Amino acid sequence: MSKQIQAIRGMNDCLPQDTPAWQYVEQILRNTVASYGYSEIRFPIVEMTELFKRSIGEVTDIVEKEMYTFNDRNGDSLTLRPEGTACCVRAGNEHGLLYNQEQRLWYTGPMFRHERPQKGRYRQFHQFGLEAFGMASADIDAEVIILSARLWQQLGLTPYVKLELNSLGSSASRAAYREALVSYLEQHKALLDEDSLRRMYSNPLRVLDSKNPALADVLAAAPQLADYLDEESKAHFTRLQQLLSRAGIAFSLNPRLVRGLDYYNKTVFEWVTTELGAQGTVCAGGRYDGLVEQLGGKATPAVGFALGLERLVLLLQSLNLLPQLAATADIYLMALGDAAELAALTVAEQLRSALPGKRIMTHCGGGNLKKQLKRADKSGAAIGLILGEDELARGEITLKWLRDDKPQQTLLITDVAAVLA
Ligand code: ATP
Ligand code: MG
């Protein structure tokens, strides 16, 4: 036998037993964003490498070590998208969707990052994200967060996720803070790890985002961005907190929340859970007023978030919050004998036309009644229809209840739809 080829590490198949959970979650996400007036946008999985370098930032985990980058046959450097925001802005600029307009857009699909695979962290993973363009005031930040809270409510997750908030201020206020932070880090060099030392000058805010527990104390005592915020950012942040409080959304302020991508300003937020171990961030986002211009468009304010679908599904599974697996069929049609087999597919088509929405599975491959009933059982269908040669000749069919203790009935084929509707 030849050797089996395996999937790539960190890239998972989603098997038929798991797709109903994904469809359930995706359906709730789609319906919820639609109820806020969002439209779907789709963009390619591969983009020019430059797009991610320019937007996410050169000195970030993603660009430094996580991107799947390769040369196209003509020598262009291409990258499998590690996230959606940069792609959405690229598409928006390219098609003139952003300047002087308000847009509420959502997207979903696979993202690629070369990370160490573990529970909740994969190399191909899926995000659902949304972006609101053209609105600068804190009400849209609040609406985006309220929308995410509604998602948790729809999924039954409200008790298990917590909202953390921070403001990164303007680029000017960040520059002042950066100076203070660098001089603090210089004084505590001996306590820093290799990554932090490297980033101390190139991207000092990212040092705060370190996941190394050994740095917790030194980082907790570092100067805080909140003390350096400019007046406008402060007012924006205060207004956001007022709006969230009015909407009854609890949050905690986390001064060390800086997010792993460079394009954010003002509001940043994360929804975190303690139910998934180390991979606790389910949804993350913020404002990125500079990105559209940075990618060649006209200055356009924007705010958005992305959530990790694997983490969401894992969370729902671990909390037993997924609805029971649906059966694959409602009605299973069996046929006994050559004439019945010849008619079965056509009878099934008539039933599908007469019973829209019902899932009708036709037995294929022959076999005796026992074998066919076994397959009917496996399909999960509640109703079995058995077409025999004699019955067919009389225009009749047998209806058998597969899950209930009810007597079987003989019906005219032409009456079946009315009985089962
Ligand atoms: P983390 O801190 O967990 O590495 P991140 O800050 O890199 O997350 P974002 O780029 O903000 O993540 O992506 C948004 C969401 O996408 C995350 O909150 C998470 O739910 C999900 N996500 C990110 N990377 C992965 C991954 N490698 N595998 C699975 N889900 C991921
Ligand atoms: Mg990451």
Side-chain angles (χ1 to χ4, degrees), residues 138-209:
D139 46 4
I140 184 67
D141 307 36
E143 192 194 70
V144 160
I145 294 174
I146 290 169
L147 182 161
S148 57
R150 180 176 286 274
L151 292 174
W152 317 138
Q153 191 227 326
Q154 303 277 307
L155 292 163
L157 285 174
T158 307
Y160 308 100
V161 289
K162 296 215 157 16
L163 175 62
E164 297 192 351
L165 267 190
N166 194 19
S167 174
L168 299 179
S170 65
S171 51
S173 65
R174 270 219 300 288
Y177 172 65
R178 187 187 149 113
E179 234 169 79
L181 181 63
V182 171
S183 83
Y184 172 86
L185 294 173
E186 277 174 339
Q187 285 160 33
H188 297 86
K189 253 184 180 166
L191 299 171
L192 300 181
D193 62 6
E194 200 186 312
D195 262 353
S196 306
L197 287 170
R198 194 165 40 81
R199 286 184 172 160
M200 200 169 105
Y201 299 104
S202 53
N203 195 348
L205 261 73
R206 294 282 289 124
V207 178
L208 295 178
D209 193 39

Coordinates of all heavy atoms in Angstrom, one line a residue, residues 138-209:
A138 N -17.1 58.2 19.2 CA -17.1 57.0 20.0 C -18.3 56.2 20.0 O -18.3 55.0 20.4 CB -16.8 57.4 21.5
D139 N -19.4 56.7 19.4 CA -20.6 56.0 19.3 C -20.5 54.7 18.5 O -21.0 53.6 18.8 CB -21.8 56.8 18.8 CG -21.5 57.7 17.6 OD1 -20.4 57.5 17.1 OD2 -22.4 58.4 17.2
I140 N -19.7 54.8 17.4 CA -19.5 53.6 16.6 C -18.6 52.6 17.3 O -18.9 51.4 17.2 CB -19.1 53.9 15.1 CG1 -19.0 52.7 14.2 CG2 -17.7 54.6 15.1 CD1 -20.3 52.1 13.9
D141 N -17.6 53.1 18.0 CA -16.8 52.1 18.8 C -17.7 51.3 19.7 O -17.6 50.1 19.9 CB -15.8 52.8 19.7 CG -14.9 53.8 18.9 OD1 -15.4 54.4 18.0 OD2 -13.7 53.9 19.3
A142 N -18.7 52.1 20.4 CA -19.6 51.5 21.3 C -20.5 50.5 20.6 O -20.7 49.4 21.1 CB -20.4 52.6 22.0
E143 N -21.0 50.9 19.4 CA -21.9 50.0 18.7 C -21.2 48.7 18.3 O -21.8 47.6 18.5 CB -22.5 50.7 17.5 CG -23.7 49.9 16.9 CD -24.1 50.3 15.5 OE1 -23.3 50.0 14.5 OE2 -25.2 50.8 15.4
V144 N -20.0 48.8 17.9 CA -19.2 47.6 17.5 C -19.1 46.7 18.8 O -19.3 45.4 18.7 CB -17.9 48.0 17.0 CG1 -16.9 46.9 17.0 CG2 -18.0 48.5 15.5
I145 N -18.8 47.3 19.9 CA -18.7 46.4 21.1 C -20.0 45.9 21.6 O -20.1 44.7 22.0 CB -18.0 47.3 22.2 CG1 -16.5 47.6 21.8 CG2 -18.0 46.5 23.6 CD1 -15.8 48.5 22.7
I146 N -21.1 46.7 21.5 CA -22.4 46.2 21.8 C -22.8 45.1 20.9 O -23.4 44.1 21.4 CB -23.4 47.4 21.8 CG1 -23.1 48.4 22.9 CG2 -24.9 46.9 21.8 CD1 -23.9 49.7 22.7
L147 N -22.5 45.2 19.7 CA -22.8 44.1 18.7 C -22.1 42.8 19.2 O -22.7 41.7 19.2 CB -22.3 44.5 17.3 CG -22.5 43.6 16.1 CD1 -22.4 44.4 14.8 CD2 -21.6 42.4 16.1
S148 N -20.8 42.9 19.5 CA -20.1 41.7 20.0 C -20.7 41.2 21.2 O -20.9 39.9 21.3 CB -18.6 42.0 20.1 OG -18.4 43.0 21.1
A149 N -21.2 42.0 22.1 CA -21.8 41.5 23.3 C -23.1 40.8 23.0 O -23.5 39.8 23.6 CB -22.1 42.7 24.3
R150 N -23.8 41.3 22.0 CA -25.0 40.6 21.5 C -24.7 39.2 21.0 O -25.5 38.2 21.2 CB -25.8 41.4 20.5 CG -27.1 40.7 20.0 CD -27.8 41.6 19.0 NE -28.5 42.7 19.6 CZ -29.7 42.7 20.2 NH1 -30.4 41.5 20.2 NH2 -30.2 43.7 20.8
L151 N -23.6 39.1 20.3 CA -23.1 37.7 19.8 C -23.0 36.8 21.0 O -23.5 35.6 20.9 CB -21.8 37.8 19.1 CG -21.8 38.6 17.8 CD1 -20.3 38.6 17.3 CD2 -22.6 37.8 16.7
W152 N -22.3 37.2 22.0 CA -22.2 36.3 23.2 C -23.5 35.9 23.8 O -23.7 34.8 24.2 CB -21.3 36.9 24.3 CG -20.0 37.6 23.8 CD1 -19.5 38.8 24.2 CD2 -19.2 37.2 22.7 NE1 -18.4 39.2 23.4 CE2 -18.2 38.2 22.5 CE3 -19.1 36.1 21.9 CZ2 -17.2 38.1 21.6 CZ3 -18.1 36.0 20.9 CH2 -17.2 36.9 20.8
Q153 N -24.4 36.9 23.8 CA -25.7 36.6 24.4 C -26.4 35.6 23.5 O -27.0 34.6 24.1 CB -26.5 38.0 24.4 CG -27.7 37.9 25.2 CD -28.9 38.6 24.4 OE1 -28.6 39.5 23.7 NE2 -30.0 38.1 24.6
Q154 N -26.4 35.7 22.2 CA -27.0 34.8 21.3 C -26.5 33.4 21.5 O -27.2 32.4 21.3 CB -26.8 35.2 19.9 CG -27.3 36.6 19.5 CD -28.8 36.6 19.2 OE1 -29.3 35.8 18.4 NE2 -29.5 37.4 19.9
L155 N -25.2 33.3 21.8 CA -24.5 32.0 21.8 C -24.5 31.5 23.3 O -24.0 30.4 23.5 CB -23.0 32.2 21.4 CG -22.8 32.5 19.9 CD1 -21.4 33.0 19.6 CD2 -23.1 31.2 19.0
G156 N -25.1 32.2 24.2 CA -25.1 31.7 25.6 C -23.8 31.9 26.3 O -23.6 31.3 27.3
L157 N -22.9 32.8 25.8 CA -21.6 32.9 26.4 C -21.4 34.1 27.3 O -20.3 34.2 27.9 CB -20.6 33.0 25.2 CG -20.3 31.8 24.4 CD1 -19.4 32.1 23.2 CD2 -19.6 30.7 25.3
T158 N -22.4 34.9 27.5 CA -22.2 36.1 28.3 C -21.5 35.9 29.6 O -20.6 36.6 30.0 CB -23.6 36.8 28.5 OG1 -24.2 37.0 27.2 CG2 -23.4 38.2 29.2
P159 N -21.9 34.8 30.4 CA -21.2 34.6 31.7 C -19.8 34.2 31.6 O -19.1 34.3 32.6 CB -22.0 33.5 32.4 CG -23.2 33.3 31.5 CD -22.9 33.8 30.2
Y160 N -19.3 33.9 30.4 CA -18.0 33.3 30.3 C -16.9 34.2 29.6 O -15.8 33.8 29.5 CB -18.0 31.9 29.6 CG -19.1 31.0 30.1 CD1 -20.3 30.9 29.5 CD2 -18.8 30.3 31.3 CE1 -21.3 30.0 30.1 CE2 -19.8 29.5 31.9 CZ -21.0 29.3 31.3 OH -21.9 28.5 31.8
V161 N -17.4 35.4 29.2 CA -16.4 36.3 28.5 C -16.4 37.6 29.2 O -17.4 38.1 29.7 CB -16.7 36.4 27.0 CG1 -16.4 35.2 26.2 CG2 -18.1 36.9 26.8
K162 N -15.2 38.2 29.3 CA -15.1 39.5 29.9 C -14.5 40.5 28.9 O -13.6 40.1 28.1 CB -14.2 39.4 31.1 CG -14.8 38.5 32.2 CD -14.4 39.0 33.6 CE -15.4 38.6 34.7 NZ -16.2 37.4 34.3
L163 N -14.9 41.8 29.0 CA -14.4 42.8 28.1 C -13.3 43.6 28.7 O -13.4 44.1 29.9 CB -15.6 43.7 27.7 CG -15.2 45.0 26.9 CD1 -14.7 44.5 25.5 CD2 -16.5 45.8 26.7
E164 N -12.2 43.7 28.1 CA -11.1 44.5 28.5 C -10.9 45.7 27.5 O -10.9 45.5 26.3 CB -9.8 43.7 28.6 CG -9.9 42.6 29.6 CD -8.5 42.0 30.0 OE1 -7.5 42.3 29.3 OE2 -8.5 41.2 30.9
L165 N -10.6 46.9 28.1 CA -10.6 48.1 27.2 C -9.3 48.9 27.5 O -8.9 48.9 28.6 CB -11.7 49.0 27.7 CG -13.1 49.0 27.0 CD1 -13.8 50.2 27.6 CD2 -13.0 49.1 25.5
N166 N -8.9 49.5 26.5 CA -7.8 50.5 26.7 C -7.8 51.5 25.6 O -8.5 51.4 24.6 CB -6.4 49.8 26.7 CG -5.3 50.6 27.2 OD1 -5.5 51.6 27.9 ND2 -4.1 50.3 26.9
S167 N -7.1 52.6 25.8 CA -7.0 53.6 24.7 C -5.5 53.8 24.4 O -4.7 54.0 25.4 CB -7.6 54.9 25.1 OG -7.3 55.9 24.0
L168 N -5.2 53.7 23.2 CA -3.8 53.9 22.8 C -3.5 55.4 22.4 O -2.3 55.7 22.2 CB -3.4 53.1 21.6 CG -3.6 51.6 21.7 CD1 -3.2 50.8 20.5 CD2 -2.7 51.1 22.9
G169 N -4.5 56.2 22.4 CA -4.3 57.6 22.1 C -3.9 57.9 20.7 O -4.0 57.1 19.8
S170 N -3.5 59.2 20.5 CA -3.0 59.6 19.1 C -1.6 59.2 18.9 O -0.9 58.8 19.9 CB -3.2 61.1 19.0 OG -2.2 61.7 19.9
S171 N -1.1 59.3 17.7 CA 0.3 59.0 17.5 C 1.2 59.9 18.3 O 2.3 59.5 18.8 CB 0.7 58.9 16.0 OG 0.3 60.1 15.4
A172 N 0.8 61.2 18.5 CA 1.7 62.2 19.2 C 1.7 61.8 20.7 O 2.8 61.8 21.3 CB 1.1 63.6 19.1
S173 N 0.6 61.4 21.3 CA 0.6 61.0 22.7 C 1.4 59.7 22.9 O 2.0 59.5 23.9 CB -0.8 61.0 23.3 OG -1.6 59.9 22.7
R174 N 1.3 58.9 21.9 CA 2.0 57.6 22.0 C 3.5 57.9 22.0 O 4.3 57.2 22.6 CB 1.6 56.6 20.9 CG 0.5 55.8 21.3 CD 0.6 54.3 20.8 NE 0.7 54.2 19.4 CZ -0.3 54.4 18.5 NH1 -1.5 54.7 19.0 NH2 -0.1 54.2 17.2
A175 N 3.9 58.9 21.2 CA 5.4 59.2 21.1 C 5.9 59.7 22.4 O 7.0 59.2 22.8 CB 5.6 60.2 20.0
A176 N 5.1 60.5 23.1 CA 5.6 61.0 24.4 C 5.7 59.8 25.4 O 6.6 59.7 26.2 CB 4.6 62.0 24.9
Y177 N 4.7 59.0 25.3 CA 4.6 57.8 26.2 C 5.8 56.9 25.9 O 6.5 56.4 26.8 CB 3.3 57.1 26.1 CG 3.3 55.7 26.8 CD1 3.4 55.7 28.2 CD2 3.2 54.5 26.1 CE1 3.4 54.5 28.9 CE2 3.2 53.3 26.8 CZ 3.3 53.3 28.2 OH 3.3 52.1 28.8
R178 N 6.1 56.7 24.7 CA 7.1 55.8 24.2 C 8.5 56.2 24.8 O 9.2 55.3 25.3 CB 7.2 55.9 22.7 CG 8.1 55.0 22.0 CD 8.2 55.4 20.5 NE 9.5 55.0 20.0 CZ 9.7 54.1 19.1 NH1 8.7 53.5 18.5 NH2 10.9 53.8 18.7
E179 N 8.7 57.5 24.9 CA 10.0 58.0 25.5 C 10.1 57.6 26.9 O 11.1 57.1 27.4 CB 10.0 59.5 25.3 CG 11.3 60.0 24.7 CD 11.1 61.5 24.4 OE1 11.3 62.3 25.3 OE2 10.8 61.8 23.2
A180 N 9.0 57.8 27.6 CA 9.0 57.5 29.1 C 9.1 56.0 29.3 O 9.9 55.5 30.2 CB 7.7 57.9 29.7
L181 N 8.5 55.2 28.4 CA 8.6 53.7 28.5 C 10.0 53.2 28.3 O 10.5 52.4 29.0 CB 7.5 53.1 27.6 CG 7.5 51.6 27.6 CD1 7.0 51.1 29.0 CD2 6.5 51.0 26.5
V182 N 10.6 53.8 27.2 CA 11.9 53.3 26.9 C 12.9 53.6 28.0 O 13.7 52.8 28.4 CB 12.4 54.0 25.6 CG1 13.9 53.7 25.3 CG2 11.6 53.5 24.4
S183 N 12.7 54.8 28.6 CA 13.7 55.1 29.7 C 13.4 54.2 30.9 O 14.4 53.8 31.6 CB 13.7 56.6 30.0 OG 12.7 56.9 30.9
Y184 N 12.2 53.9 31.2 CA 11.9 52.9 32.2 C 12.5 51.5 31.9 O 13.1 50.9 32.7 CB 10.4 52.8 32.4 CG 10.0 51.7 33.4 CD1 9.9 51.9 34.8 CD2 9.6 50.4 32.9 CE1 9.5 50.9 35.6 CE2 9.3 49.4 33.8 CZ 9.2 49.6 35.1 OH 8.9 48.6 36.0
L185 N 12.3 51.1 30.7 CA 12.8 49.8 30.3 C 14.3 49.7 30.4 O 14.9 48.7 30.8 CB 12.3 49.4 28.9 CG 10.8 49.1 28.8 CD1 10.4 48.9 27.3 CD2 10.3 47.9 29.6
E186 N 15.0 50.9 30.0 CA 16.4 50.9 30.1 C 16.9 50.7 31.5 O 17.9 50.0 31.7 CB 16.9 52.3 29.5 CG 17.0 52.3 28.0 CD 17.4 53.7 27.4 OE1 17.2 54.7 28.1 OE2 17.9 53.7 26.3
Q187 N 16.2 51.3 32.4 CA 16.6 51.1 33.8 C 16.4 49.7 34.3 O 16.9 49.3 35.4 CB 15.7 52.1 34.7 CG 16.1 53.5 34.7 CD 15.0 54.4 35.1 OE1 14.2 54.1 36.0 NE2 14.8 55.6 34.5
H188 N 15.5 48.9 33.6 CA 15.2 47.6 34.1 C 15.7 46.5 33.1 O 15.1 45.4 33.1 CB 13.7 47.4 34.4 CG 13.3 48.3 35.5 ND1 12.9 49.6 35.3 CD2 13.2 48.1 36.8 CE1 12.6 50.2 36.4 NE2 12.7 49.3 37.4
K189 N 16.7 46.8 32.3 CA 17.1 45.9 31.3 C 17.4 44.5 31.8 O 17.1 43.6 31.1 CB 18.5 46.5 30.7 CG 18.3 47.1 29.3 CD 19.7 47.5 28.8 CE 19.5 48.1 27.4 NZ 20.7 48.8 27.0
A190 N 18.0 44.5 32.9 CA 18.4 43.2 33.5 C 17.3 42.2 33.6 O 17.5 41.0 33.6 CB 19.1 43.4 34.8
L191 N 16.1 42.7 33.7 CA 14.9 41.9 34.0 C 14.2 41.4 32.7 O 13.3 40.6 32.7 CB 13.9 42.6 34.9 CG 14.4 43.0 36.3 CD1 13.4 43.8 37.0 CD2 14.7 41.7 37.1
L192 N 14.6 42.0 31.6 CA 13.9 41.8 30.3 C 14.4 40.5 29.6 O 15.5 40.1 29.8 CB 14.0 43.0 29.4 CG 13.5 44.3 29.9 CD1 13.7 45.4 28.9 CD2 12.0 44.2 30.3
D193 N 13.5 39.9 28.8 CA 13.9 38.7 28.0 C 14.4 39.2 26.6 O 14.4 40.4 26.3 CB 12.8 37.7 27.9 CG 11.6 38.3 27.2 OD1 11.6 39.4 26.7 OD2 10.5 37.6 27.1
E194 N 14.9 38.2 25.8 CA 15.5 38.6 24.6 C 14.6 39.3 23.6 O 15.0 40.4 23.0 CB 15.9 37.2 23.9 CG 17.0 37.3 22.9 CD 17.2 35.9 22.2 OE1 17.3 34.9 23.0 OE2 17.2 35.9 21.0
D195 N 13.3 38.9 23.5 CA 12.4 39.5 22.6 C 12.2 41.0 23.0 O 12.1 41.9 22.2 CB 11.0 38.8 22.7 CG 10.8 37.9 21.6 OD1 11.7 37.8 20.6 OD2 9.8 37.1 21.6
S196 N 12.0 41.2 24.3 CA 11.8 42.5 24.8 C 12.9 43.5 24.6 O 12.8 44.6 24.2 CB 11.4 42.5 26.3 OG 10.4 41.6 26.6
L197 N 14.1 42.9 24.8 CA 15.3 43.8 24.6 C 15.4 44.2 23.1 O 15.8 45.3 22.8 CB 16.6 43.0 25.0 CG 16.8 42.8 26.5 CD1 17.9 41.8 26.8 CD2 17.1 44.2 27.1
R198 N 15.1 43.3 22.3 CA 15.1 43.6 20.8 C 14.1 44.6 20.5 O 14.3 45.5 19.6 CB 14.9 42.3 20.0 CG 15.2 42.3 18.6 CD 15.3 40.9 18.0 NE 14.2 40.1 18.4 CZ 13.0 40.1 18.0 NH1 12.7 40.9 17.0 NH2 12.1 39.3 18.4
R199 N 12.9 44.5 21.1 CA 11.8 45.5 20.7 C 11.9 46.8 21.5 O 11.1 47.7 21.2 CB 10.5 44.8 21.1 CG 10.2 43.7 20.0 CD 8.9 43.1 20.2 NE 8.7 42.2 19.1 CZ 7.9 41.3 19.1 NH1 7.1 41.0 20.1 NH2 7.7 40.5 18.0
M200 N 12.7 46.8 22.5 CA 12.7 48.0 23.4 C 12.8 49.3 22.6 O 12.2 50.3 22.9 CB 13.9 47.9 24.3 CG 13.8 48.7 25.5 SD 15.1 48.1 26.6 CE 16.2 49.5 26.4
Y201 N 13.6 49.3 21.5 CA 13.8 50.5 20.7 C 12.9 50.5 19.5 O 12.4 51.5 19.1 CB 15.2 50.8 20.4 CG 16.1 50.9 21.6 CD1 16.9 49.9 22.1 CD2 16.0 52.1 22.4 CE1 17.7 50.0 23.2 CE2 16.8 52.2 23.6 CZ 17.6 51.2 24.0 OH 18.3 51.4 25.1
S202 N 12.8 49.3 18.9 CA 12.1 49.3 17.6 C 10.6 49.4 17.8 O 9.9 50.1 17.0 CB 12.4 48.0 16.8 OG 12.1 46.9 17.7
N203 N 10.0 48.8 18.9 CA 8.6 48.9 19.1 C 8.3 48.7 20.6 O 7.7 47.6 20.9 CB 7.9 47.8 18.2 CG 6.4 48.1 18.1 OD1 5.8 48.9 18.8 ND2 5.8 47.3 17.2
P204 N 8.6 49.6 21.4 CA 8.6 49.4 22.9 C 7.2 49.1 23.4 O 7.1 48.3 24.4 CB 9.1 50.7 23.5 CG 9.1 51.7 22.4 CD 9.2 51.0 21.1
L205 N 6.1 49.6 22.8 CA 4.8 49.3 23.3 C 4.5 47.8 23.2 O 3.8 47.3 24.1 CB 3.7 50.0 22.5 CG 3.2 51.3 23.2 CD1 4.2 52.4 23.1 CD2 1.9 51.7 22.5
R206 N 5.1 47.2 22.2 CA 4.9 45.7 22.1 C 5.5 44.9 23.2 O 5.1 43.8 23.5 CB 5.4 45.2 20.7 CG 4.7 45.8 19.6 CD 3.4 45.0 19.4 NE 3.7 43.7 18.9 CZ 3.2 42.6 19.5 NH1 2.5 42.7 20.5 NH2 3.5 41.4 18.9
V207 N 6.5 45.5 23.9 CA 7.1 44.9 25.1 C 5.9 44.6 26.1 O 5.9 43.6 26.8 CB 8.2 45.7 25.7 CG1 8.8 45.0 27.0 CG2 9.3 45.9 24.7
L208 N 5.0 45.6 26.2 CA 3.9 45.5 27.2 C 3.0 44.3 26.9 O 2.3 43.8 27.7 CB 3.1 46.7 27.2 CG 3.7 48.0 27.6 CD1 2.7 49.2 27.5 CD2 4.2 47.9 29.1
D209 N 3.0 43.9 25.6 CA 2.1 42.8 25.2 C 2.7 41.4 25.4 O 2.2 40.4 25.0 CB 1.9 43.1 23.7 CG 0.7 42.2 23.1 OD1 -0.3 42.1 23.8 OD2 0.9 41.7 22.0

